[in-house]
Amino acid sequence: MDAAIVLLAATPVPALLYNAAMYFEEGRTSDLLGGVSSFWGILAVLFIYAGMPGSVFFPVMLGTSALGGYLEYGRSRRKWELVQGLVLTAVLIIVIALLGGI
């Protein structure tokens, strides 16, 4: 079972590496917060395995990514960044509703 947890915790690592590389290359806020979100995903798996409820971690991960899209749109005015923030906000609302928070 522990090998499965390590494998599951390792799944956000490619996204973390991609976001880190993009941030150091282009310096976009959305890439920085995407990396933070990926790191949060790694921590979430480990903490959920330790017994904490997943409903604490995954909305924060989605909210961090959505915030990155909005902040980057405010800086660069690229419409894709706004779309990214809106889509992730919609997914966040759905996740919170499914978790019974609304």
Side-chain angles (χ1 to χ4, degrees):
M1 186 74 168
D2 292 334
I5 297 302
V6 170
L7 183 62
L8 185 60
T11 55
V13 171
L16 176 65
L17 294 174
Y18 171 78
N19 283 312
M22 293 302 292
Y23 176 72
F24 288 121
E25 184 178 317
E26 297 182 15
R28 295 184 336 188
T29 307
S30 62
D31 293 325
L32 175 65
L33 289 176
V36 169
S37 178
S38 297
F39 184 71
W40 186 258
I42 294 168
L43 290 179
V45 171
L46 298 176
F47 283 129
I48 289 170
Y49 178 68
M52 294 186 77
S55 60
V56 173
F57 292 99
F58 293 109
V60 172
M61 186 174 65
L62 288 169
T64 304
S65 294
L67 179 64
Y70 291 132
L71 291 175
E72 185 60 33
Y73 174 74
R75 189 175 70 86
S76 69
R77 295 293 181 205
R78 285 187 236 152
K79 291 190 188 320
W80 169 248
E81 303 295 341
L82 179 61
V83 170
Q84 174 189 353
L86 291 172
V87 167
L88 287 171
T89 300
V91 171
L92 176 63
I93 291 169
I94 292 168
V95 165
I96 290 172
L98 290 174
L99 291 173
I102 294 179

